[in-house]
Amino acid sequence: MSYQFDNLKLEKGMYGVAGKSFTDLLEAEDPSERYKGTALEGLDAYQRQLKRFDIKVKGLGSDVVDKFFQTSQSAVLFPEYVSRSVRQGMEETDLLPAITAAVTSIDGMDYRSIASVPDKDRKALKRVEEGAQIPQTEIRTQENLVKLHKRGRMLVASYEAIRYQKLDLFSVTLRQIGAHMSRQLLSDAIEVLEQGDGNDNPAQALKVGTAPMSGTAGSLTYDDLVDFWSQFDPYEMNTLLVSGEMMRKLLKMPELQNPMTGLNFQGTGKLTTPLGANLLRTSALTGSKLIGLDKRYALEMVKASDVLVEYDKLMDRQLERAAITTIAGFAKIFPDAAKILTV
């Protein structure tokens, strides 16, 4: 049986097409639906090209980097391999899905988010008398544009130095680049949660021992967490971002030392709070500070590009100072859905 993937012509022009990735273009030429019920079912169009050129990128039998450059067509696959490895590293350490309500992809650098900030009176679903006007919820675009930042790392290596390195090992380095990029994006997200997105919408800052919070400044108790939780009505505090110092204080609480919490942590490695929030530790927060949020309503991620690599350099074996970048920003949706607590 002949397959379409064996006859595709691969060229540099398949990269850099607006709105479409390299894999999107491959899928358009060689749809995965054609392979249902065959030995190739479950592979996407890019993975079928790896099979075409007999390139193994992982496992004990992984090939060396030089295998990509046996032909001019197989060399076209190398930038996508780099991009996929970096994205895998980003996903392995990515906390953004746990704190973002929506992800918006755009073509360009200018984007205005929308906002609806009704007062307490307009939030109420009042009874509407016959002939009376139905209460309105106003949705408008934000005054200022969302700030998009280009984040990335430079791949610095000579082709001679890595050509005989196993792809499985090289992928580890690329995944580490992705992990660094993911942490940079998380720092951007936390900055927007704390300070706002430039539209006068910073998170409300609360402090233990200062009204409306009770307790004693410098210490954190279960009662303080309950007070913090109560500030979120009508939202739900379902996520807590904490610094390493704050994590230690939380884990020392008697309420977090009950047998079920211990068994859950020992069995799955996942931590929960007595209030049911998802507990996330990050080095992007410092000091005795935590951010509580309702992940369903707090933050929007805006992506102007996925992971981009300088494909010309990579295909021409000019790895020295090849940039790997992504462009993204964040916008607040409902400001009251995120709050900061300082101990």
Side-chain angles (χ1 to χ4, degrees):
M1 178 179 180
S2 61
Y3 293 110
Q4 179 69 21
F5 77 94
D6 282 325
N7 303 311
L8 288 184
K9 182 179 180 181
L10 305 180
E11 54 188 3
K12 289 183 179 181
M14 299 178 74
Y15 290 97
V17 177
K20 291 188 176 182
S21 68
F22 180 73
T23 299
D24 291 337
L25 293 176
L26 286 179
E27 285 287 349
E29 295 289 331
D30 179 38
S32 293
E33 289 79 7
R34 294 177 179 173
Y35 298 90
K36 289 183 178 179
T38 73
L40 299 177
E41 183 177 7
L43 301 181
D44 64 23
Y46 176 74
Q47 291 168 329
R48 288 191 292 274
Q49 291 302 308
L50 293 179
K51 183 175 180 63
R52 170 188 175 185
F53 293 101
D54 192 30
I55 300 174
K56 300 179 180 66
V57 297
K58 60 182 178 181
L60 291 176
S62 67
D63 289 308
V64 296
V65 172
D66 194 52
K67 187 67 175 287
F68 273 105
F69 299 96
Q70 297 303 301
T71 71
S72 59
Q73 288 207 74
S74 62
V76 177
L77 299 173
F78 187 61
E80 178 67 7
Y81 154 75
V82 172
S83 179
R84 288 189 175 212
S85 298
V86 171
R87 284 200 301 270
Q88 182 182 352
M90 293 180 71
E91 292 166 359
E92 288 172 349
T93 60
D94 195 6
L95 297 182
L96 291 175
I99 65 173
T100 50
V103 178
T104 303
S105 297
I106 63 172
D107 292 323
M109 295 295 291
D110 293 338
Y111 177 77
R112 293 181 191 272
S113 188
I114 59 175
S116 174
V117 191
D119 55 32
K120 187 174 182 180
D121 182 61
R122 293 185 179 182
K123 288 179 183 178
L125 295 179
K126 298 180 179 179
R127 185 175 65 186
V128 180
E129 302 294 345
E130 184 177 353
Q133 184 179 6
I134 299 176
Q136 299 178 352
T137 295
E138 180 184 359
I139 298 177
R140 54 181 172 77
T141 57
Q142 294 280 32
E143 180 179 353
N144 294 318
L145 295 172
V146 174
K147 295 180 180 178
L148 301 179
H149 301 286
K150 187 175 185 178
R151 299 292 192 188
R153 290 273 166 164
M154 194 71 70
L155 179 61
V156 182
S158 68
Y159 175 69
E160 289 74 17
I162 66 169
R163 61 181 301 185
Y164 296 121
Q165 292 296 322
K166 292 285 188 177
L167 288 167
D168 202 26
L169 176 60
F170 189 48
S171 296
V172 175
T173 302
L174 296 174
R175 294 203 308 270
Q176 178 69 356
I177 291 175
H180 285 305
M181 292 172 64
S182 179
R183 283 193 286 271
Q184 290 170 338
L185 290 173
L186 180 61
S187 295
D188 291 341
I190 288 175
E191 182 180 352
V192 169
L193 284 172
E194 288 186 284
Q195 302 179 18
D197 57 15
N199 289 287
D200 193 26
N201 53 3
Q204 180 184 5
L206 302 168
K207 188 173 183 178
V208 173
T210 302
M213 295 291 299
S214 59
T216 304
S219 64
L220 181 68
T221 66
Y222 180 73
D223 289 345
D224 298 329
L225 277 181
V226 172
D227 287 344
F228 187 51
W229 169 85
S230 68
Q231 300 299 314
F232 280 82
D233 184 60
Y235 298 104
E236 172 187 303
M237 188 186 75
N238 50 38
T239 305
L240 281 172
L241 281 166
V242 302
S243 64
E245 179 180 343
M246 189 64 93
M247 177 68 86
R248 290 194 297 272
K249 292 183 178 181
L250 288 170
L251 292 177
K252 290 179 180 179
M253 282 185 180
E255 290 78 9
L256 276 174
Q257 296 176 10
N258 67 70
M260 290 306 298
T261 299
L263 287 173
N264 184 50
F265 178 54
Q266 294 168 21
T268 67
K270 295 181 179 179
L271 292 167
T272 57
T273 72
L275 303 175
N278 188 21
L279 187 59
L280 306 173
R281 183 182 67 174
T282 173
S283 58
L285 275 175
T286 58
S288 298
K289 181 189 296 182
L290 61 83
I291 298 177
L293 64 141
D294 189 332
K295 74 170 292 287
R296 303 170 300 171
Y297 301 107
L299 193 66
E300 174 190 16
M301 182 178 183
V302 182
K303 298 175 67 174
S305 75
D306 203 345
V307 176
L308 298 177
V309 299
E310 292 185 299
Y311 53 88
D312 279 323
K313 286 187 176 182
L314 296 182
M315 282 183 280
D316 293 337
R317 313 183 197 191
Q318 298 173 13
L319 275 67
E320 294 89 345
R321 305 195 65 79
I324 303 171
T325 62
T326 186
I327 302 174
F330 298 88
K332 297 285 284 289
I333 304 177
F334 293 98
D336 290 342
K339 301 180 188 294
I340 301 169
L341 177 64
T342 303
V343 177

